[in-house]
Amino acid sequence: MLLKELISLSVYSNAKVVAGLAGMTNSVQSVNIMDAPDIIHYLKPQELLLTTGYAMKDHPEALLSLVTNMAAVGCAGLAIKTKRFLQEVPEDVLNRAEELQFPIIELSLEQSLGDIANFSLSHILEKRTDELHYALSTHKQFSQMIMQGKSTQDVIEALAQLIDSPVMLINQHSELLFRSDAMTDEVLYASLLHRLQEELRSEPTADGFSPSSVTIPLSSNADADEQGFARKQTAAELHPIVTFQLEGFLVALTNDTDKQLNNLTKHALEQAANVIGLELMKKQAVKERSRRYKNEFFSDFVDGLITSEQELLHRSKNYNLLHHPAYISVVAKRDTSFDQHRSPSALETDGRFISERDRHYALLKSEFAKLDLRFVLFTKNDYFCFLIAMRSNQDVTKDKGSRFLEQLKQIVGSLSEKHGIPVSVGLGNPVSELSDIPVSYREAVEALQSGYDARKKQFVQPYHAKNLTHLLRLIPKEELKEYYEETFKDLLRIEGKERTDLLKTLNTFYETHCQLAETAKQLFVHRNTVTYRLEKCERLTGRDLRDPVESLRFRTAFSLEPLVHGDS
């Protein structure tokens, strides 16, 4: 209870506030009696100290130190029985108390300190019991509303009527979600939201979680009318709504000239916030179950584990993916993991990580919605996977002028600049059949990985089909060299221009699909010269140049030449 309420009790009938009147709105949690010299070490915040001043009767300066230290600790006040050991409170002590807004109360000699303490504590406990009963009843009221199918808006309205104050619910970004009917002034709540955004930004909290409820002064009486706030609503009480992450704040406008809300109002806010938080957790559980079902289905789909066309068509119908001209897979991944030093199991159970991943999911979904295309978003391992249904006239080419590619680049840029999330994107080829989506998905994953292999960041990487040279790079260079030398055998032992002419003739012969006339034409030599050179190549290599198997071997060996000689 407030200190001014406590001293209004009959046991304090002859008490007098001699200093620190501005601090009479301090909260009192308990009452203590002490007359020991080291009193300050045993005092707690919001505690009222009753004393006769015996320990300081010969050392008045100790009282000045006690008052200073009690104010620093956050004690409610000091009630001292004068005219016994201390005739009066020294002037310097009164001045210090006034400066610190720390209440000093003179007690009469009529009541003993024991009687005052017992009466005060009984009253405090009585009031606390009433508050607990009130908290239970309000929690029951709000819980029953939710169980009866009432909405969050209904809970907000019931809370506003209960505490007789305008109420609203804002999300963690200070954006309005719900407001009570009493909050009808558009200028008022728009100004209020702006003020709350400034206050919350100025005091960020670790891990995105909020501290306990706080009171924010909205305006002084002098400028209340100018800002659009009614004089009777001078403060906003914020109570956080937390599930496994901060969801938002329940905000009540109140007449709080003394910077203290009535405890019953606080209890009502707390119980409403608890019930709304539980309702949000229930909705999140339903949404999470639906998301898990979707993730499992599409993960099995792109992994090729769904072989029944009937099952594929039936389950895809739920996501409006049927009967589109083309489909394309896009895979996104955060460039740096949330915490590379923790095990996967630790990451899965870490509420902070889950909260961050959910935030990325929501932001990616919001950004891709700007494409104005039907899509399904699911997660697989560290990937955010999009299956996008394209229009028949949609630009899906992957040249530099592709509008679709430019839109993806804008999304990557927006996520980085506005939200601080470095994301890269891999893009598969479009397919015309729903059943071919797994192919496009694997291409998207491969494109993303190729971008990372090239040490890129915040990129959009389309899929490029691998050519033979790319595949040959995967083979150890020593084995490539052995294959190359075995194919050409004694031909490589010839030095100078003759070896160059023989190899060039053989390579041109295969490039012209074994046409002698065309080979001679490209080399600017006679047809008989080509025939002579080819016969010599057959003799030196011991291979039939027109045999399909040998032809493939020669063509492959020519592809190896830049790799073997290090010109890659």
Side-chain angles (χ1 to χ4, degrees):
M1 62 190 305
L2 302 185
L3 182 55
K4 65 180 182 180
E5 296 173 350
L6 184 66
I7 69 164
S8 66
L9 300 178
S10 59
V11 74
Y12 292 95
S13 57
N14 295 319
K16 182 173 67 172
V17 181
V18 293
L21 185 63
M24 292 302 291
T25 54
N26 290 346
S27 292
V28 183
Q29 293 277 3
S30 63
V31 178
N32 201 346
I33 303 175
M34 274 196 184
D35 266 322
D38 56 348
I39 244 174
I40 189 61
H41 302 300
Y42 301 94
L43 294 178
K44 300 174 183 177
Q46 298 183 340
E47 193 167 54
L48 174 65
L49 176 64
L50 308 179
T51 182
T52 62
Y54 176 78
M56 280 116 2
K57 63 183 178 64
D58 297 324
H59 304 283
E61 73 281 356
L63 185 58
L64 180 65
S65 176
L66 176 64
V67 167
T68 304
N69 290 330
M70 286 183 69
V73 169
C75 295
L78 173 65
I80 185 167
K81 185 173 284 193
T82 54
K83 308 296 188 294
R84 190 170 179 188
F85 298 107
L86 284 176
Q87 289 304 308
E88 60 182 12
V89 180
E91 189 68 24
D92 60 341
V93 175
L94 296 178
N95 291 337
R96 177 63 60 84
E98 200 65 44
E99 178 187 335
L100 298 173
Q101 297 185 352
F102 181 76
I104 295 181
I105 303 163
E106 281 191 356
L107 299 174
S108 70
L109 297 174
E110 298 172 4
Q111 300 284 353
S112 69
L113 294 185
D115 289 343
I116 295 174
N118 289 335
F119 196 90
S120 300
L121 287 171
S122 296
H123 193 78
I124 291 172
L125 291 174
E126 227 174 84
K127 187 169 183 181
R128 180 55 60 86
T129 302
D130 290 342
E131 290 175 1
L132 292 176
H133 281 302
Y134 179 83
L136 288 172
S137 63
T138 52
H139 186 275
K140 183 178 180 181
Q141 176 187 347
F142 295 137
S143 297
Q144 284 178 342
M145 291 181 67
I146 294 297
M147 293 175 70
Q148 291 167 1
K150 301 289 186 180
S151 65
T152 302
Q153 177 64 48
D154 294 326
V155 174
I156 296 294
E157 195 59 49
L159 174 63
Q161 293 177 9
L162 185 64
I163 64 176
D164 192 25
S165 293
V167 176
M168 66 180 179
L169 179 65
I170 60 176
N171 63 16
Q172 65 269 41
H173 306 297
S174 302
E175 298 166 342
L176 181 67
L177 300 178
F178 302 98
R179 57 173 173 156
S180 63
D181 292 341
M183 194 174 288
T184 55
D185 191 334
E186 297 292 329
V187 175
L188 185 149
Y189 89 79
S191 301
L192 172 62
L193 282 177
H194 179 70
R195 177 65 186 275
L196 292 177
Q197 288 169 356
E198 290 179 345
E199 291 286 345
L200 294 176
R201 274 198 301 265
S202 65
E203 296 183 3
T205 56
D207 305 334
F209 287 87
S210 167
S212 57
S213 59
V214 293
T215 303
I216 297 178
L218 297 177
S219 62
S220 64
N221 287 339
D223 60 4
D225 293 335
E226 180 183 344
Q227 291 190 13
F229 295 107
R231 287 182 181 273
K232 65 178 182 178
Q233 295 161 354
T234 58
E237 173 76 7
L238 278 72
H239 196 93
I241 296 178
V242 179
T243 54
F244 63 87
Q245 63 180 349
L246 177 65
E247 300 290 346
F249 294 90
L250 196 56
V251 183
L253 304 188
T254 180
N255 177 18
D256 193 28
T257 54
D258 295 327
K259 310 296 185 295
Q260 278 288 334
L261 272 182
N262 181 282
N263 278 343
L264 297 183
T265 301
K266 288 188 175 182
H267 283 307
L269 276 171
E270 181 181 3
Q271 299 312 315
N274 289 341
V275 169
I276 292 173
L278 290 172
E279 178 66 8
L280 287 175
M281 289 185 71
K282 185 185 77 172
K283 290 180 179 179
Q284 286 170 354
V286 172
K287 185 171 67 175
E288 184 61 30
R289 182 177 179 182
S290 173
R291 190 187 297 179
R292 188 180 298 115
Y293 177 81
K294 178 177 65 174
N295 288 343
E296 290 173 355
F297 165 57
F298 282 103
S299 181
D300 289 346
F301 176 32
V302 298
D303 285 343
L305 301 179
I306 296 179
T307 56
S308 167
E309 184 177 356
Q310 185 177 1
E311 180 187 1
L312 176 59
L313 295 176
H314 174 71
R315 295 177 70 176
S316 297
K317 182 171 60 178
N318 298 328
Y319 304 103
N320 294 319
L321 280 179
L322 299 180
H323 312 303
H324 291 279
Y327 306 91
I328 196 166
S329 294
V330 175
V331 173
K333 184 176 182 292
R334 183 172 177 176
D335 286 344
T336 53
S337 63
F338 184 76
D339 192 336
Q340 297 179 346
H341 303 292
R342 285 184 287 179
S343 65
S345 59
L347 291 175
E348 290 168 5
T349 57
D350 191 327
R352 226 176 110 206
F353 175 77
I354 295 171
S355 168
E356 196 75 357
R357 188 166 174 80
D358 265 12
R359 186 173 76 91
H360 296 169
Y361 184 98
L363 289 172
L364 279 164
K365 187 174 181 179
S366 174
E367 288 292 331
F368 270 77
K370 296 176 183 178
L371 295 173
D372 195 25
L373 294 170
R374 174 72 61 184
F375 68 86
V376 174
L377 168 60
F378 67 98
T379 56
K380 182 174 171 62
N381 301 324
D382 292 336
Y383 299 134
F384 295 94
C385 312
F386 295 84
L387 304 183
I388 303 176
M390 311 295 287
R391 302 190 185 96
S392 56
N393 60 347
Q394 182 75 25
D395 171 22
V396 293
T397 59
K398 292 197 269 301
D399 55 32
K400 291 184 179 179
S402 166
R403 182 170 180 271
F404 185 64
L405 273 182
E406 288 305 313
Q407 288 176 311
L408 293 179
K409 290 176 181 177
Q410 289 172 8
I411 289 174
V412 169
S414 176
L415 287 168
S416 175
E417 293 168 12
K418 294 182 181 178
H419 308 290
I421 305 174
V423 169
S424 294
V425 170
L427 181 66
N429 285 317
V431 294
S432 58
E433 298 294 332
L434 186 67
S435 57
D436 291 332
I437 282 178
V439 176
S440 181
Y441 167 78
R442 287 191 290 273
E443 290 174 347
V445 172
E446 197 170 314
L448 181 65
Q449 190 56 51
S450 68
Y452 282 131
D453 290 343
R455 300 187 180 280
K456 297 180 182 178
K457 289 184 178 180
Q458 298 180 46
F459 58 84
V460 175
Q461 179 67 52
Y463 174 78
H464 298 293
K466 293 183 176 66
N467 55 28
L468 178 61
T469 302
H470 184 92
L471 295 175
L472 292 174
R473 289 179 190 274
L474 303 178
I475 302 173
K477 190 172 182 179
E478 294 74 14
E479 294 185 19
L480 296 179
K481 186 176 181 181
E482 182 181 345
Y483 184 93
Y484 179 82
E485 292 175 349
E486 174 62 24
T487 300
F488 293 117
K489 289 187 177 178
D490 295 340
L491 190 61
L492 296 175
R493 296 178 183 174
I494 301 175
E495 299 292 338
K497 185 175 182 301
E498 184 181 5
R499 184 175 74 173
T500 302
D501 289 343
L502 291 176
L503 288 173
K504 186 174 182 180
T505 301
L506 184 57
N507 191 21
T508 306
F509 177 65
Y510 285 123
E511 286 179 350
T512 58
H513 305 289
C514 302
Q515 299 295 318
L516 289 176
E518 184 62 25
T519 302
K521 181 179 178 182
Q522 289 196 20
L523 294 175
F524 302 103
V525 296
H526 194 273
R527 177 188 177 112
N528 291 341
T529 303
V530 172
T531 302
Y532 168 77
R533 290 178 180 176
L534 293 178
E535 288 176 349
K536 189 167 185 178
C537 286
E538 278 191 339
R539 190 168 60 254
L540 292 172
T541 60
R543 303 182 186 280
D544 182 356
L545 301 185
R546 294 182 182 274
D547 182 271
V549 175
E550 299 298 343
S551 171
L552 177 61
R553 184 181 182 98
F554 277 117
R555 291 171 186 271
T556 304
F558 278 119
S559 298
L560 292 178
E561 192 168 11
L563 300 179
V564 169
H565 293 98
D567 183 15
S568 55

